[in-house]
C-alpha cells in the first residue's frame, strides 16, 4: 500500500490543503509548529478513527471552526481507493470508494483492507517519532514476538488475550514463591493440619479422661443449679413478704378504725344542696337586673335637639322617613356604579393605549375578512417554509458544485483534443483514395475517409464524466434559483394583500401575528364603551334621586341644611329609633314592674327550699353540712384503701397472717438466705472445676480432634487435587496457544533480527554489528566483540536500535502488511553522520515501502533521493 494524496478539510490549523505523495520516499519539510505532528495524527485518524472527546488533545479540532475531517487517496494491489472521514459518532463518519472500478464500498471494508494492522500496531511500528523510539529502553523479545503473532496469524489478538487471561488465572492459583494464590494457601494449610494431627495423636488418652471428668461435673452442676433455683424461689417469696410487712400492718390498722356509715350525707345529697344554692344565686341576680332596668326607664326623659325640631313638622317628615330605605339603597347603588364606571374607564383606556393609532381604535374584521386573513397567513407560512427549504437545497448544491470543480485536465477529454487530427486524417484518406486505380478502391477509400472525419467531428465527445456531473449540478442550481424567485414573488404578493387589509381596517404597523389578539381587544373595547354609557345613565339617575330627597328634607327640617347624605342618614335613623322607643316606653315600665315581682317571689321560694334541706338533717348552716359530709367521705376512703391493700398483698395476705410478728418473718428469711448462699458456693466450685477442665481440653484440642483433623485433611487434599488439575489445564492451554501462534508466525523472527542487525550496522557506521534478543530484553554486539545492554547505550544510539528493529519488521512483514512508514522528526537525537546514514537507509527501503518523513531539517533539500514538499506553502 502507498498513499497518493492527503486532502484536509479541517484538522488542527490545516484547512482546505492537499499534499500529493509519491510511492517512494517523501520529505515534508516544515519548521516547528508547521504541522508535522498534525499530519501524522491526521493519517492515523483517517484510517483508524478520531479519538473521543475525552482526549481533546488528540482530536485536533479545526482552529478556524471548519469541518473536521479529510480524505486519503491510496493504492493497494493495483486498485486505487479514496477514504474520507468526517466528524461523527464511533470515530467519525467513513466513506470508502473504489476509484479503479468506480464503486462505493461499505465503511467496514476499510478495516479489512488495513488488516491485520490496527491503530495500536500502526502507532507502535509504522508511525514513529522521537518519544516512541525511546521505548526501546523497555523493549523485550516478547513484545516483538507478540507483534509478529498479531501480523502473521489471523485472529491472534483474541487468542493472545485468552492466553494472557489463562496465565493470570493460573498465577492466581499457584506461584512457586507466592503466598496469596489458592494452591499456595492450600499447601500451607496442609502443613499446619498435619502438625496439628500429630499433636492430637500424642494427647489422646489424657483427652478421654478429661472428657469423662467433665461429663460427671456437668451432671453435678445441673443438679446443683436445680436446687439453687428452688432455694432462690423460697428466698424470693420470703423477701417479698418481708417487703410487704408494712403494707400488711397498714391493712390491719384500717380495719380496726372502721365505723358504721350515716345516711343523708351521700354525694347525691351534696349535689342536691349545690343545685339549691345555684337556684338561689340565679334568682337573686335576676332580681338585681330587673331593679336596674326599672331605674334606667325612669331616668330616660330628656330629648335630643333634632327630635324637638321634628315634633312641630312631624306630618311633613314622616312621609320622608318612610322613603328612607329606598333612598339609602339609591345612595349605595350610586357609589357602586361610580366605582364600576372608574373600572370600565381604566380598562377602555388601557386598550386604547395598546391598540389605538392617532387616538382612533382599529375597525373590527368581518367574518369574510377573518377567513381571508387566516387563509393568507396559512399560504404565507407554507410559502416561507418552501422558500427556506429551497434556499437550503441551493446552498447544498453550491457546496457540492464547489467540491466537484474539476481541474483543467479533467475538464477536457484527451480524445476531444485530437478532433482536428481525425478530420485531417479523413481528408488525407479521401484525397488519397482518388489517386487509387479502380473505381471500387476509390469508392472504398472515399467512404473510409468520410467515416474517419465523421468519427472525429461528431462521435468524439469533448466532455468528461466530471464535466457532465457539473453540468447536471449547474442545471439543478438554476432550477432551484428559479423556484426561489417564484417563491419570493409569492411571499411578496401575500404580504401586499395583508398590508392592504391592515390599511383598510386601521391596523397600522401592527404585526400580523397580533391581529387575532387585536380583534378580541377591539370587541372588548366596544363592549366597554356601551357599558360606560349605560352606567353613566344609571349614576345620573341615582344621584338625582338622592339630591331631590335631600332638598325635600331640608325644606321640612332647616336644621339639616347644607349636610350631605353621609351626615343626614345616621341622624334620620336615630330620629326614627327614638320615635319608636318613646311609643313603647309606657308599656316597658309596666312590664318591668311585673318581672320584678316575679323575681322577688323566686328568691323567697329558693331560700325556703334551702332552709328545709338543712332542717331535715338537724343542721343550721351549709358549713355544718359539709363538715359532716367530709367525715363521711373519709370513712369511705379508708374502706377503699383497705380493699386496695388487700388486693396488693394478694396471696401473700394469708401467708403473712401466719406470722405473729415481724421478727418471726425475718428469722425464717435469714435461714433461707444462708441455705441459698451455701448452694451457690457449691455451684461456683463446680463451675470453676469445669472451667479448668475446659482450658485443659482446649489446650489439648487447640488443633482440633483427631477425627475432625483427619476429615479436614482429607477435604483439603481433595481440593488441592482439583486446584492442581485446573492449574495444569490453564497453564498447558496457554502454552499450547503460544506454541500454535509461534508456528503460525513461521521463521520471521530470525529474519527480522538479521535484517535489523544489517540496518543497525549501517546506522552506526558499523560500530555495532549484531543484535540479539534475550528472554527479557535486547542487547547488541560492538565491532570489537563486546556485548552491550540497551540501558548502556546513549539515547541516540538506543533510538537508532529501535529504528533498525522497526524498519526490519516493516520490510520483512511487507508481504503480509504493506503499510507506509510515517516518521515525525525521529532523528533529532542523531548526530550529523548518523542522520545522513539514516536518510540513506530510508532511500534504500523506499524501493520496497513508501516512506513519509516529516522533518524540520533543511538538509533534506540537498538529497538526491525523494520528493520534498514544504508544509508552509
Amino acid at each position: 500500500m502507498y498513499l497518493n494524496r492527503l486532502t484536509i478539510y479541517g484538522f488542527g490549523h490545516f484547512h482546505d490543503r492537499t499534499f500529493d505523495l509519491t510511492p517512494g520516499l517523501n520529505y515534508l519539510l516544515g519548521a516547528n509548529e508547521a504541522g508535522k505532528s498534525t499530519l501524522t495524527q491526521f493519517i492515523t485518524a483517517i484510517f483508524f478513527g478520531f479519538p473521543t472527546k475525552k482526549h481533546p488533545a488528540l482530536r485536533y479540532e479545526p482552529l478556524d471552526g471548519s469541518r473536521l475531517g479529510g480524505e486519503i487517496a491510496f493504492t493497494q494491489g493495483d486498485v486505487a481507493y479514496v477514504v474520507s472521514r468526517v466528524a461523527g459518532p464511533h470515530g467519525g463518519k467513513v466513506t470508502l470508494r473504489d476509484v479503479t472500478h468506480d464503486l462505493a464500498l461499505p465503511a467496514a471494508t476499510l478495516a479489512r483492507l488495513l488488516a491485520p494492522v490496527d491503530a495500536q500496531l500502526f502507532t507502535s511500528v509504522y508511525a514513529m517519532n522521537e518519544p516512541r523510539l525511546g521505548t526501546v529502553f523497555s523493549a523485550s523479545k516478547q513484545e516483538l514476538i507478540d507483534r509478529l503473532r498479531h501480523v502473521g496469524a489471523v485472529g491472534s489478538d483474541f487468542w493472545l488475550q485468552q492466553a494472557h487471561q489463562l496465565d493470570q488465572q493460573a498465577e492466581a492459583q499457584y506461584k512457586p514463591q507466592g503466598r496469596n494464590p489458592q494452591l499456595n494457601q492450600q499447601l500451607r494449610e496442609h502443613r499446619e493440619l498435619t502438625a496439628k494431627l500429630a499433636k492430637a495423636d500424642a494427647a489422646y488418652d489424657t483427652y478421654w479422661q478429661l472428657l469423662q471428668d467433665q461429663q460427671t461435673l456437668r451432671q453435678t452442676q445441673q443438679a446443683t443449679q436445680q436446687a439453687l433455683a428452688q432455694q432462690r424461689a423460697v428466698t424470693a417469696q420470703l423477701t417479698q413478704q418481708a417487703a410487704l410487712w408494712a403494707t400488711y400492718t397498714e391493712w390491719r390498722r384500717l380495719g380496726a378504725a372502721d365505723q358504721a356509715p350515716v345516711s343523708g350525707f351521700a354525694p347525691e345529697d351534696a349535689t342536691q344542696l349545690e343545685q339549691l344554692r345555684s337556684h338561689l344565686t340565679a334568682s337573686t341576680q335576676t332580681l338585681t337586673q330587673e331593679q336596674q332596668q326599672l331605674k334606667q326607664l325612669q331616668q330616660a326623659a330628656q330629648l335630643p335637639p333634632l327630635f324637638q325640631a321634628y315634633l312641630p313638622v312631624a306630618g311633613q317628615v314622616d312621609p320622608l322617613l318612610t322613603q328612607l330605605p329606598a333612598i339609602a339603597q339609591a345612595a349605595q347603588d350610586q357609589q357602586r356604579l361610580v366605582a364600576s364606571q372608574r373600572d370600565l374607564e381604566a380598562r377602555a383606556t388601557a386598550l386604547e393605549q395598546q391598540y389605538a393609532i392617532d387616538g382612533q381604535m382599529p375597525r373590527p374584521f368581518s367574518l369574510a375578512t377573518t377567513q381571508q386573513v387566516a387563509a393568507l397567513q396559512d399560504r404565507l407560512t407554507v410559502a416561507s417554509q418552501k422558500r427556506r427549504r429551497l434556499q437550503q437545497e441551493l446552498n447544498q448544491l453550491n457546496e457540492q458544485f464547489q467540491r466537484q470543480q474539476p481541474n483543467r485536465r479533467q475538464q477536457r477529454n484527451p480524445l476531444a483534443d485530437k478532433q482536428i487530427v481525425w478530420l485531417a486524417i479523413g481528408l488525407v484518406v479521401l484525397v488519397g483514395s482518388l489517386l487509387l486505380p479502380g473505381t471500387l478502391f476509390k469508392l472504398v477509400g472515399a467512404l473510409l475517409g468520410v467515416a474517419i472525419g465523421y468519427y472525429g467531428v461528431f462521435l468524439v465527445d469533448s466532455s468528461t464524466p466530471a464535466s457532465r456531473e457539473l453540468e447536471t449540478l449547474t442545471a439543478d442550481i438554476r432550477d432551484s434559483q428559479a423556484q426561489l424567485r417564484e417563491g419570493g414573488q409569492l411571499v411578496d404578493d401575500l404580504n401586499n394583500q395583508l398590508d392592504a387589509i391592515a390599511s383598510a381596517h386601521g391596523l397600522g404597523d401592527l404585526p400580523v401575528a397580533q391581529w387575532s389578539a387585536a380583534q378580541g381587544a377591539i370587541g372588548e373595547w366596544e363592549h366597554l364603551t356601551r357599558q360606560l354609557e349605560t352606567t353613566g345613565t344609571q349614576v345620573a339617575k341615582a344621584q338625582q334621586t338622592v339630591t331631590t330627597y335631600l332638598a325635600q328634607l331640608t325644606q321640612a327640617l332647616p336644621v339639616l341644611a347644607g349636610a350631605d347624605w353621609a351626615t343626614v342618614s345616621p341622624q334620620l335613623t336615630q330620629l326614627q329609633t327614638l320615635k319608636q322607643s318613646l311609643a313603647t316606653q309606657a308599656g316597658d315600665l309596666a312590664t318591668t314592674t311585673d318581672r320584678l315581682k316575679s323575681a322577688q317571689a323566686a328568691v323567697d321560694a329558693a331560700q325556703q327550699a334551702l332552709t328545709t334541706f338543712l332542717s331535715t338533717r338537724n343542721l343550721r348552716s351549709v358549713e355544718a353540712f359539709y363538715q359532716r359530709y367530709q367525715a363521711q367521705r373519709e370513712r369511705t376512703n379508708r374502706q377503699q384503701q383497705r380493699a386496695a391493700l388487700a388486693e396488693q398483698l394478694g396471696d401473700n395476705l394469708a401467708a403473712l397472717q401466719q406470722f405473729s410478728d415481724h421478727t418471726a418473718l425475718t428469722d425464717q428469711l435469714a435461714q433461707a438466705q444462708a441455705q441459698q448462699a451455701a448452694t451457690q458456693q457449691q455451684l461456683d466450685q463446680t463451675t470453676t472445676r469445669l472451667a479448668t477442665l475446659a482450658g485443659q481440653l482446649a489446650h489439648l484440642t487447640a488443633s482440633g480432634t483427631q477425627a475432625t483433623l483427619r476429615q479436614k485433611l482429607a477435604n483439603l487434599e481433595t481440593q488441592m487435587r482439583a486446584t492442581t488439575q485446573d492449574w495444569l489445564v490453564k497453564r498447558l492451554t496457554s502454552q499450547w496457544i503460544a506454541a500454535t501462534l509461534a508456528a503460525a508466525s513461521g521463521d520471521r523472527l530470525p529474519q527480522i533480527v538479521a535484517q535489523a542487525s544489517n540496518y543497525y550496522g549501517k546506522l552506526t557506521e558499523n560500530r555495532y554489528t549484531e543484535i540479539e534478543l534475550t528472554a527479557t530484553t535486547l542487547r547488541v554486539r560492538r565491532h570489537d566483540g563486546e556485548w552491550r545492554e540497551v540501558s548502556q547505550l546513549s539515547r541516540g544510539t538506543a533510538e537508532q536500535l529501535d529504528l533498525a528493529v522497526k524498519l526490519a519488521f516493516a520490510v520483512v512483514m511487507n508481504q503480509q502488511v504493506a503499510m507506509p512508514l510515517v516518521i515525525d522528526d525521529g532523528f533529532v537525537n542523531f548526530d550529523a553522520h548518523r542522520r545522513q546514514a539514516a536518510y540513506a537507509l530510508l532511500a534504500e527501503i523506499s524501493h520496497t515501502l513508501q516512506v513519509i518523513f516529516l522533518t524540520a531539517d533543511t538538509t533534506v533539500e540537498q538529497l538526491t533521493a525523494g520528493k520534498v514538499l514544504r508544509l508552509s506553502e
Side-chain angles (χ1 to χ4, degrees), residues 45-77:
I46 296 301
F47 275 142
F48 301 104
F50 299 118
T52 62
K53 292 187 178 180
K54 294 181 180 179
H55 305 85
L58 299 178
R59 284 180 60 84
Y60 285 85
E61 296 281 355
L63 301 181
D64 61 347
S66 58
R67 181 178 53 165
L68 173 65
E71 64 181 40
I72 296 178
F74 64 94
T75 301
Q76 185 179 46

Side-chain angles (χ1 to χ4, degrees), residues 205-461:
D205 295 335
T206 305
Y207 173 77
W208 280 109
Q209 182 62 42
L210 291 175
L211 280 179
Q212 291 177 358
D213 294 344
Q214 186 183 49
Q215 184 177 5
T216 302
L217 286 173
R218 283 179 177 173
Q219 293 175 354
T220 303
Q221 183 187 42
Q222 184 176 5
T224 306
Q225 287 175 344
Q226 292 177 355
L228 181 61
Q230 295 175 356
Q231 189 61 41
R232 283 176 176 171
V234 173
T235 303
Q237 185 176 8
L238 290 173
T239 302
Q240 184 180 15
Q241 292 173 0
L244 293 173
W245 183 261
T247 304
Y248 172 69
T249 302
E250 180 67 13
W251 176 80
R252 290 200 306 180
R253 184 186 67 79
L254 290 174
D258 193 13
Q259 298 179 0
V262 180
S263 61
F265 296 94
E268 54 271 18
D269 297 323
T271 302
Q272 182 181 1
L273 175 61
E274 287 301 320
Q275 291 176 352
L276 293 173
R277 294 181 65 191
S278 298
H279 182 63
L280 176 61
T281 301
S283 299
T284 303
Q285 292 177 352
T286 302
L287 177 62
T288 302
Q289 292 175 357
E290 296 297 337
Q291 291 173 348
Q292 292 178 353
Q293 180 67 22
L294 179 62
K295 184 177 181 180
Q296 291 175 358
L297 290 175
Q298 290 173 350
Q299 292 176 353
Q302 193 174 6
L303 299 177
L306 180 62
F307 191 81
Q308 294 177 1
Y310 156 76
L311 291 176
V313 291
Q316 299 177 14
V317 175
D318 286 342
L320 296 177
L321 293 177
T322 305
Q323 301 176 14
L324 184 61
I327 301 303
Q329 183 63 42
Q332 293 178 0
D333 292 342
Q334 179 185 357
Q335 294 177 356
R336 176 179 55 79
L337 290 171
V338 168
S340 176
Q341 188 178 31
R342 293 195 193 100
D343 179 61
L344 292 174
E345 288 176 350
R347 290 163 59 187
T349 302
L351 292 176
E352 290 173 356
Q353 292 176 351
Q354 184 175 2
Y355 294 103
I357 300 173
D358 297 332
Q360 184 67 32
M361 284 292 289
R363 291 175 293 280
F365 288 166
S366 64
L367 179 60
T369 304
T370 302
Q371 295 174 350
Q372 181 183 4
V373 169
L376 288 174
Q377 286 179 326
D378 293 340
R379 291 179 60 192
L380 181 60
T381 301
V382 173
S384 299
Q385 292 175 352
K386 181 177 179 182
R387 187 178 182 184
R388 287 193 294 271
R389 178 176 55 80
L390 288 172
Q391 185 63 50
Q392 292 175 357
E393 292 177 357
L394 180 59
N395 293 339
Q396 294 174 358
L397 290 172
N398 286 329
E399 291 179 2
Q400 188 176 0
F401 182 82
Q402 292 296 330
R403 290 196 302 269
Q404 296 186 1
Q405 279 286 359
N407 55 32
R408 183 178 299 275
R409 186 176 179 182
Q410 292 174 331
Q411 291 177 354
R412 295 289 298 171
N413 189 333
L415 294 176
D417 295 337
K418 299 178 181 179
Q419 285 180 335
I420 303 301
V421 177
W422 286 105
L423 183 59
I425 294 173
L427 291 175
V428 171
V429 173
L430 179 61
V431 174
S433 65
L434 298 178
L435 302 177
L436 294 176
T439 304
L440 181 60
F441 290 106
K442 292 179 179 181
L443 180 60
V444 173
L447 292 174
L448 180 59
V450 172
I452 291 173
Y454 181 82
Y455 174 78
V457 175
F458 298 102
L459 297 183
V460 176
D461 190 3

Side-chain angles (χ1 to χ4, degrees), residues 182-201:
Q182 183 180 4
L183 187 55
N184 294 76
Q185 295 179 4
Q186 291 174 345
L187 288 171
R188 185 166 60 253
E189 186 179 357
H190 188 274
R191 290 193 296 270
E192 294 173 356
L193 286 176
T194 303
K196 291 180 179 179
L197 182 60
K199 183 178 179 181
D201 290 339

Side-chain angles (χ1 to χ4, degrees), residues 729-846:
V729 169
K730 293 175 179 175
R731 181 62 71 184
L732 292 175
T733 303
S734 173
Q735 294 175 355
W736 175 82
I737 292 174
T740 303
L741 293 178
S745 299
D747 57 353
R748 297 184 183 90
L749 183 59
Q751 297 179 30
I752 293 175
V753 174
Q755 189 71 355
S757 299
N758 180 25
Y759 290 164
Y760 195 46
K762 293 179 180 181
L763 289 171
T764 60
E765 299 174 323
N766 293 321
R767 183 177 179 84
Y768 297 92
T769 59
E770 184 179 353
I771 298 174
E772 181 184 69
L773 279 171
T774 66
T776 59
T777 185
L778 287 168
R779 68 175 187 166
V780 296
R781 184 197 294 271
R782 287 165 49 94
H783 61 87
D784 56 3
E786 183 182 353
W787 288 95
R788 293 286 181 88
E789 301 292 336
V790 176
S791 59
Q792 297 174 314
L793 301 177
S794 67
R795 184 171 185 85
T797 307
E799 291 179 359
Q800 292 154 19
L801 172 60
D802 196 15
L803 176 64
V805 173
K806 290 181 177 179
L807 292 179
F809 182 93
V811 171
V812 172
M813 302 305 297
N814 186 44
Q815 296 298 325
Q816 283 75 27
V817 183
M819 290 294 293
L821 290 172
V822 182
I823 306 174
D824 177 14
D825 253 348
F827 304 162
V828 294
N829 293 321
F830 294 10
D831 58 34
H833 295 289
R834 294 191 180 184
R835 189 180 298 115
Q836 293 300 320
Y839 290 151
L841 181 58
L842 293 182
E844 177 184 339
I845 67 172
S846 66

Side-chain angles (χ1 to χ4, degrees), residues 485-561:
R485 286 192 297 271
E486 292 177 0
Q489 293 175 358
L490 178 58
V491 169
D492 293 340
D493 182 51
L494 293 173
N495 283 325
N496 291 335
Q497 294 183 41
L498 289 172
D499 291 341
I501 294 175
S503 299
H505 291 81
L507 292 172
D509 296 332
L510 189 68
V512 178
Q514 300 181 12
W515 285 8
S516 178
Q519 290 302 310
I522 292 168
E524 183 181 359
W525 179 82
E526 292 180 346
H527 178 68
L528 291 174
T529 302
R530 290 192 295 271
Q531 283 186 324
L532 277 172
E533 294 177 356
T534 303
T535 305
T537 303
Q538 294 174 349
V539 168
K541 182 178 179 181
Q543 185 176 6
Q544 182 62 35
T545 300
V546 174
T547 302
T548 303
Y549 181 81
L550 288 176
Q552 295 175 357
L553 185 63
T554 302
Q555 184 178 4
L557 293 172
V559 70
L560 296 177

Side-chain angles (χ1 to χ4, degrees), residues 458-772:
F458 298 102
L459 297 183
V460 176
D461 190 3
S462 62
S463 63
T464 64
S467 63
R468 287 194 293 273
E469 188 172 357
L470 285 176
E471 291 175 359
T472 302
L473 285 174
T474 302
D476 292 341
I477 289 173
R478 290 174 180 171
D479 181 59
S480 297
Q481 290 175 342
Q483 293 184 27
L484 192 60
R485 286 192 297 271
E486 292 177 0
Q489 293 175 358
L490 178 58
V491 169
D492 293 340
D493 182 51
L494 293 173
N495 283 325
N496 291 335
Q497 294 183 41
L498 289 172
D499 291 341
I501 294 175
S503 299
H505 291 81
L507 292 172
D509 296 332
L510 189 68
V512 178
Q514 300 181 12
W515 285 8
S516 178
Q519 290 302 310
I522 292 168
E524 183 181 359
W525 179 82
E526 292 180 346
H527 178 68
L528 291 174
T529 302
R530 290 192 295 271
Q531 283 186 324
L532 277 172
E533 294 177 356
T534 303
T535 305
T537 303
Q538 294 174 349
V539 168
K541 182 178 179 181
Q543 185 176 6
Q544 182 62 35
T545 300
V546 174
T547 302
T548 303
Y549 181 81
L550 288 176
Q552 295 175 357
L553 185 63
T554 302
Q555 184 178 4
L557 293 172
V559 70
L560 296 177
D564 58 5
W565 173 252
T567 304
V568 170
S569 177
Q571 293 181 2
L572 293 179
T573 302
Q574 184 180 6
L575 178 64
Q576 207 171 22
T577 303
L578 182 59
K579 176 184 174 183
Q580 294 174 356
S581 63
L582 291 176
T584 58
Q585 185 173 13
D588 290 341
L589 287 172
T591 303
T592 303
T593 302
D594 294 340
R595 289 201 304 269
L596 184 61
K597 293 179 180 179
S598 300
Q600 184 63 50
V603 169
D604 296 340
Q607 184 64 45
Q608 181 61 35
L610 179 60
T611 302
T612 302
F613 178 85
L614 294 174
S615 61
T616 55
R617 291 166 176 76
N618 297 320
L619 299 175
R620 295 183 179 180
S621 64
V622 175
E623 290 77 9
F625 173 83
Y626 278 112
Q627 290 177 359
R628 299 285 298 276
Y629 173 72
Q630 187 64 29
Q632 184 72 18
R633 286 190 60 186
E634 290 177 357
R635 187 182 303 110
T636 304
N637 288 339
R638 284 197 299 272
Q639 293 176 352
Q640 292 176 351
Q641 289 177 6
R642 193 167 188 270
L645 291 175
E647 184 178 0
Q648 181 179 355
L649 292 171
D651 297 337
N652 292 315
L653 180 60
L656 289 171
Q657 290 175 345
Q658 302 299 323
F659 295 100
S660 59
D661 53 18
H662 186 257
T663 303
L665 176 61
T666 54
D667 291 343
Q668 188 171 352
L669 176 60
Q671 294 176 3
Q673 289 175 342
Q675 187 174 357
Q676 177 182 343
T679 307
Q680 181 66 48
Q681 183 178 6
Q682 181 181 358
L683 178 62
D684 292 342
Q685 293 174 353
T686 304
T687 303
T688 301
R689 178 59 181 159
L690 280 173
T692 303
L693 288 177
Q696 295 174 351
L697 287 172
H699 179 72
L700 292 175
T701 61
S703 58
T705 62
Q706 289 177 315
T708 303
L709 290 173
R710 287 193 179 94
Q711 183 61 44
K712 288 183 178 180
L713 190 60
N715 295 339
L716 180 61
E717 290 174 349
T718 302
Q719 296 175 3
M720 291 174 63
R721 283 192 293 270
T723 304
T724 304
Q725 291 175 358
D726 190 23
W727 176 82
L728 286 172
V729 169
K730 293 175 179 175
R731 181 62 71 184
L732 292 175
T733 303
S734 173
Q735 294 175 355
W736 175 82
I737 292 174
T740 303
L741 293 178
S745 299
D747 57 353
R748 297 184 183 90
L749 183 59
Q751 297 179 30
I752 293 175
V753 174
Q755 189 71 355
S757 299
N758 180 25
Y759 290 164
Y760 195 46
K762 293 179 180 181
L763 289 171
T764 60
E765 299 174 323
N766 293 321
R767 183 177 179 84
Y768 297 92
T769 59
E770 184 179 353
I771 298 174
E772 181 184 69

Side-chain angles (χ1 to χ4, degrees), residues 4 73-82 97-102:
N4 299 320
F74 64 94
T75 301
Q76 185 179 46
D78 298 329
V79 179
Y81 300 93
V82 174
R97 187 169 187 82
D98 180 351
V99 179
T100 302
H101 303 96
D102 195 17

